[in-house]
Amino acid sequence: MSRLLPLVAKAATSRRGGRTLVGPVDLRIDGPGITVLIGPNGAGKTSLLNLLHGTARLSGGRIDWACPIDEARHAQAFVFQRPVMLRRSVVDNIAYPLRIRGVPRREALSRAETAAAQVGLAGMLNRDAPRLSGGEQQKLALARALIIAPDVLFLDEPCASLDGRAMREIEQILIQARASGRRLILSTHDMGQARRLGDDVLFLLRGRLHDSGPAAEFFARPRTSRARAFLQGDIVE
Amino acid sequence: MVDIWNGVSQAFWLMVTLDSALVEISLRSLRVTFTALLIASCIALPLAAFLAVRRFRWRRGIIALLNALMGLPPVVVGLVLYVILSRSGPLGVLGLLFTPTAMIIAQTVIIVPLIASVAHQSIRELWAEYHDLLISMNVTEGQKIRTLLWDSRRALLTAALAGFGRAIGEVGAIMIVGGNIDHATRVLTTAIALETGKGDFGLALALGFVLIGLAVAVNLSIHWLGRTERGDRW
Ligand SMILES: Nc1ncnc2c1ncn2[C@@H]1O[C@H](COP(=O)(O)OP(=O)(O)OP(=O)(O)O)[C@@H](O)[C@H]1O
Ligand SMILES: [Mg+2]
């Protein structure tokens, strides 16, 4: 099914200018499902996602996919904490990853229309993407990531600027994506969302993987005092 | 004062009657400058994008050089090209001196740094904006450059316009390498210089009006093209 997984990280570390942003981290992710990545601000969630995705340089340790890295890079997508809009129309933005992969323009556009409709952007296909609202941009970014049917999808706080209804719609799409066999790795500050979506949990604290495991267990019986405190909404440092 | 009024009225009549010499010179001007602009854009725009996305050792040096070359005195460009193209020069065998081709080369040399510098500025800004997304999508170098060029096309059009303005109004270099030969290499600017020298203000003024008119018309039409393509500005 998924050619990419398992993803195995061994002592993976990211450093910038002498500072360790995240790591060393050991983890193994396999099969479809949703991994939620939680932790306080500055814990290194974004850094870890970038490291796993390959957009940040590995300063130590290793990260291995089940297939060669070039292949792996093409079967992943990333939704940023702050979405990047190409200075094009909505439909052209969503079609872009397909165009990059050589899909003919007409086919790419018609698939992009379908994808736009799935995230509720059907009415604004020809609007300029940079002029969409924050929430609409977030939805566009999601549609653009999903259009290549990635085996692994990284999402960095995908619902940070969405209202309740939009969040429910997005979560529905994410659940659908999981059902079609994808692995989602998603960071969030919303513990409700983490509980609703998570199959596995990675709890980051100051760049280290403080605790991890199946979500049900983690939320019901956190093993460490810090994890317990974090789930209760206390300030954890 | 009388001279000027005579000149203005003569200019008016030359234009409304589509004087054949005037038309010939104007068309040659346009042909030379548009060709130079086309060639210069084909060199400068990809170069600008390349300089924006690629980190290599000489990058900063090349950018600084381009900026410096923007202020290149056209007369010096003409002189150097003259030496290169003259019969005893390295490219003398091509026999290009005193032909429109030599003038095209001169204008191209003059506007490539200008177009590249202006274009580089805006492409670099766009690249900063797109960087994370395009890296994440694992696009090839070529796709990266094409995406940046396409999405900054408005700014590139402005860069090209600046190049057009500089090229069409340039006189020093093309006078030297073109020679201002009647029916061969005489263009608007060199003709103005000649007629002014002869004291024929009427023709000189008419040519001047046409020159201004052309520059304005080209600017307006390109601006208008950019406007209609998409409802608003970037
Ligand atoms: N390029 C960089 N250079 C230096 N430090 C960085 C860089 N990127 C991130 N950091 C630092 O690394 C730490 C981890 O940042 P990161 O963005 O991964 O945190 P995060 O868990 O995603 O936080 P948030 O919840 O606020 O998004 C922070 O202290 C941040 O300031
Ligand atoms: Mg973050």
Side-chain angles (χ1 to χ4, degrees):
Chain A
M1 223 205 37
S2 171
R3 306 161 274 129
L4 245 58
L5 297 169
L7 158 67
V8 181
K10 289 202 188 82
T13 308
S14 170
R15 278 189 219 100
R16 270 284 176 93
R19 264 195 72 207
T20 301
L21 307 189
V22 68
V25 168
D26 293 282
L27 56 79
R28 181 191 162 88
I29 294 175
D30 200 358
I34 299 180
T35 301
V36 293
L37 181 55
I38 56 176
N41 286 131
K45 301 181 293 297
T46 302
S47 307
L48 180 61
L49 291 175
N50 275 314
L51 199 57
L52 296 176
H53 180 47
T55 38
R57 211 165 47 82
L58 198 60
S59 333
R62 45 185 306 135
I63 291 174
D64 292 301
W65 299 89
C67 63
I69 184 68
D70 291 336
E71 224 177 286
R73 286 295 308 273
H74 271 287
Q76 315 172 17
F78 198 108
V79 175
F80 295 97
Q81 195 164 356
R82 278 182 234 123
V84 179
M85 295 292 107
L86 299 173
R87 295 180 188 178
R88 303 176 178 201
S89 66
V90 169
V91 69
D92 281 333
N93 260 273
I94 301 177
Y96 183 77
L98 296 177
R99 300 286 296 136
I100 288 293
R101 285 167 172 73
V103 176
R105 188 172 159 77
R106 284 188 54 176
E107 187 193 334
L109 288 181
S110 86
R111 280 168 63 183
E113 275 178 37
T114 314
Q118 277 165 3
V119 295
L121 293 178
M124 24 189 113
L125 291 178
N126 293 314
R127 295 259 303 272
D128 290 335
R131 287 159 190 272
L132 296 179
S133 77
E136 289 160 351
Q137 292 192 359
Q138 202 60 263
K139 290 180 184 174
L140 188 160
L142 187 61
R144 188 173 57 191
L146 281 170
I147 199 159
I148 60 163
D151 288 332
V152 174
L153 175 59
F154 296 95
L155 303 114
D156 197 1
E157 301 186 31
C159 299
S161 51
L162 299 184
D163 62 22
R165 184 172 145 211
M167 186 187 307
R168 214 166 48 235
E169 288 166 8
I170 298 277
E171 286 184 7
Q172 215 47 52
I173 294 164
L174 298 182
I175 287 167
Q176 245 170 36
R178 166 173 62 189
S180 55
R182 295 176 217 304
R183 166 61 64 168
L184 277 52
I185 304 174
L186 146 152
S187 77
T188 182
H189 280 289
D190 180 342
M191 287 309 116
Q193 178 171 63
R195 282 171 208 267
R196 285 193 296 277
L197 295 178
D199 297 309
D200 309 292
V201 175
L202 300 172
F203 176 45
L204 270 186
L205 207 53
R206 275 187 268 153
R208 301 296 195 90
L209 206 49
H210 191 72
D211 196 7
S212 61
E217 217 169 284
F218 179 88
F219 288 117
R221 287 176 298 281
R223 283 183 297 199
T224 68
S225 57
R226 290 238 177 81
R228 206 172 307 129
F230 184 73
L231 289 180
Q232 281 166 3
D234 293 347
I235 294 165
V236 181
E237 297 181 76
Chain B
M1 243 356 240
V2 179
D3 268 359
I4 293 182
W5 275 120
N6 279 342
V8 171
S9 70
Q10 195 189 340
F12 177 78
W13 284 112
L14 282 171
M15 283 189 285
V16 293
T17 57
L18 289 177
D19 177 75
S20 66
L22 186 66
V23 169
E24 185 199 321
I25 292 173
S26 306
L27 286 180
R28 185 173 303 115
S29 253
L30 280 179
R31 190 162 57 84
V32 167
T33 298
F34 268 120
T35 311
L37 182 62
L38 193 71
I39 297 170
S41 298
C42 289
I43 298 170
L45 300 183
L47 175 67
F50 183 81
L51 287 173
V53 302
R54 205 40 179 276
R55 307 257 163 255
F56 57 96
R57 193 133 74 89
W58 296 104
R59 185 172 150 274
R60 290 199 157 277
I62 292 179
I63 293 167
L65 185 70
L66 281 177
N67 283 327
L69 290 182
M70 265 205 293
L72 208 60
V75 183
V76 178
V77 173
L79 175 63
V80 172
L81 271 180
Y82 186 96
V83 171
I84 293 174
L85 297 177
S86 69
R87 201 153 341 130
S88 53
L91 296 181
V93 283
L94 299 178
L96 291 178
L97 200 59
F98 304 136
T99 64
T101 309
M103 296 154 70
I104 291 169
I105 296 173
Q107 292 196 346
T108 304
V109 171
I110 291 168
I111 62 177
V112 160
L114 175 67
I115 298 178
S117 286
V118 177
H120 174 253
Q121 205 67 30
S122 36
I123 294 176
R124 200 179 52 181
E125 273 165 34
L126 190 65
W127 176 229
E129 198 178 313
Y130 282 10
H131 179 273
D132 290 354
L133 182 70
L134 297 193
I135 295 295
S136 155
M137 286 182 175
N138 215 15
V139 301
T140 65
E141 201 85 334
Q143 290 170 333
K144 205 186 282 176
I145 288 178
R146 258 175 283 145
T147 300
L148 288 171
L149 287 177
W150 178 249
D151 284 359
S152 57
R153 56 192 180 278
R154 231 157 239 289
L156 302 186
L157 206 55
T158 312
L161 276 182
F164 177 84
R166 177 122 202 248
I168 193 116
E170 196 281 318
V171 59
I174 54 173
M175 184 72 105
I176 296 177
V177 299
N180 194 23
I181 301 166
D182 206 5
H183 302 305
T185 58
R186 184 160 299 169
V187 291
L188 285 168
T189 52
T190 57
I192 290 173
L194 178 74
E195 301 304 332
T196 309
K198 287 198 308 198
D200 189 348
F201 293 119
L203 189 52
L205 274 175
L207 294 162
F209 291 142
V210 172
L211 186 57
I212 294 171
L214 282 180
V216 171
V218 168
N219 268 282
L220 282 182
S221 57
I222 292 182
H223 189 74
W224 176 78
L225 275 178
R227 207 17 97 69
T228 46
E229 188 202 338
R230 195 163 281 275
D232 43 8
R233 54 168 190 93
W234 267 321

